[in-house]
Amino acid sequence: MQIKRHDKINIFMHWFNAVCWIFLLLTGLGLIKNPDLQIAGGGWANLMHSVFGSGEALLAAHIIAGFIWSGGFILYSIIFCKKHVIPFVKEVMTVSPYQDTMWLIKKGIYMVLGNKALKKLGLDPRLPDQGFYNVGQKIFAIPSLFGGIIIAVTGFIMAVSDKWITDTGIVQWAILIHFVTVMLVFAGLFIHVYMAGIAAGEKPAFTSMFTGKVPEDYAEHHHKLWYDRIKS
């Protein structure tokens, strides 16, 4: 039996975010000319300039995509504030210190050493019950939420700096904060992609971002607090 987990609009926003992030990351790296900061390799900036025809066109494409990305989420937040945004924020901000800490410890040991190691340490292999999001997902969601806001604001400052902002100090700080925040969130994306699409037992979570549903036994095992709530 399948249980509904995601609405169509949330599935759309998930992939909208993913596509925008990929495009913005690729074009953003192409704008970095300093070889000491270029993590994609020395030839990446030249490649992106060649693809878009000029540095000005590359910058314009990056800015337009940034406005589409941030504008899409602003519109989503306004239209679906009560139905999706507020419940999402409440869910990811809700923590149970002991239960969540034990989940992290057990999950970490299990992923590295397996259930036998947990038993040898005298730990019950069963993970503490989780809600709609487990604590690992919350750890990624919270910095991504605030990081996204910071990236959008600093990106806006840089985009309008030539016309509206005369203080070069503000712009320089915006560039630094923008770059650092993008790299931090991108590092978290590696773990998110692995846990959602590659880690053993997590395939239902990945497919749910296409179908909107998960098997009932998966929901009960991985998100029991949420499962009990919707069943009641």
Side-chain angles (χ1 to χ4, degrees):
M1 180 178 176
Q2 297 283 313
I3 295 179
K4 183 178 179 181
R5 182 165 171 82
H6 303 292
D7 288 347
K8 291 182 179 178
I9 183 60
N10 290 330
I11 294 174
F12 170 80
M13 291 305 296
H14 176 272
W15 295 113
F16 167 78
N17 185 48
V19 171
C20 287
W21 252 92
I22 291 172
F23 183 84
L24 286 166
L25 187 65
L26 296 179
T27 54
L29 288 173
L31 294 169
I32 300 174
K33 297 180 180 180
N34 187 338
D36 295 330
L37 298 176
Q38 183 54 264
I39 64 173
W44 184 256
N46 293 333
L47 175 62
M48 285 290 99
H49 280 67
S50 298
V51 170
F52 287 89
S54 67
E56 290 76 14
L58 174 62
L59 177 60
H62 185 79
I63 292 174
I64 291 171
F67 275 112
I68 292 173
W69 172 67
S70 55
F73 273 98
I74 290 172
L75 186 63
Y76 169 78
S77 299
I78 293 173
I79 298 175
F80 298 99
C81 181
K82 186 175 181 180
K83 185 177 181 180
H84 294 304
V85 178
I86 292 178
F88 166 77
V89 173
K90 285 183 177 179
E91 180 72 25
V92 299
M93 293 295 182
T94 301
V95 296
S96 175
Y98 175 77
Q99 192 165 325
D100 290 346
T101 300
M102 289 306 299
W103 188 95
L104 287 171
I105 293 173
K106 289 185 178 182
K107 187 70 172 179
I109 295 173
Y110 167 75
M111 290 183 65
V112 177
L113 302 173
N115 276 337
K116 290 183 178 180
L118 286 168
K119 294 178 180 178
K120 287 182 179 179
L121 292 171
L123 297 173
D124 186 346
R126 292 177 300 176
L127 295 174
D129 296 339
Q130 298 289 290
F132 189 89
Y133 299 106
N134 62 49
V135 63
Q137 293 168 326
K138 292 177 182 179
I139 289 175
F140 172 70
I142 294 173
S144 294
L145 175 64
F146 289 105
I149 295 172
I150 293 171
I151 291 168
V153 171
T154 53
F156 178 79
I157 291 173
M158 290 186 288
V160 302
S161 61
D162 291 340
K163 296 181 180 180
W164 297 348
I165 301 176
T166 57
D167 189 336
T168 57
I170 294 176
V171 178
Q172 291 299 318
W173 273 108
I175 293 172
L176 175 62
I177 295 171
H178 189 83
F179 180 81
V180 171
T181 307
V182 168
M183 291 300 102
L184 290 174
V185 175
F186 182 62
L189 279 173
F190 275 108
I191 301 175
H192 174 69
V193 170
Y194 173 78
M195 291 301 298
I198 301 175
E202 297 299 332
K203 184 178 179 181
F206 177 73
T207 57
S208 72
M209 295 315 302
F210 296 94
T211 66
K213 299 178 180 180
V214 294
E216 185 171 358
D217 59 345
Y218 171 87
E220 185 176 13
H221 183 269
H222 286 71
H223 304 278
K224 193 173 188 309
L225 298 179
W226 167 67
Y227 173 82
D228 289 344
R229 187 167 67 245
I230 62 173
K231 293 299 286 187
S232 64

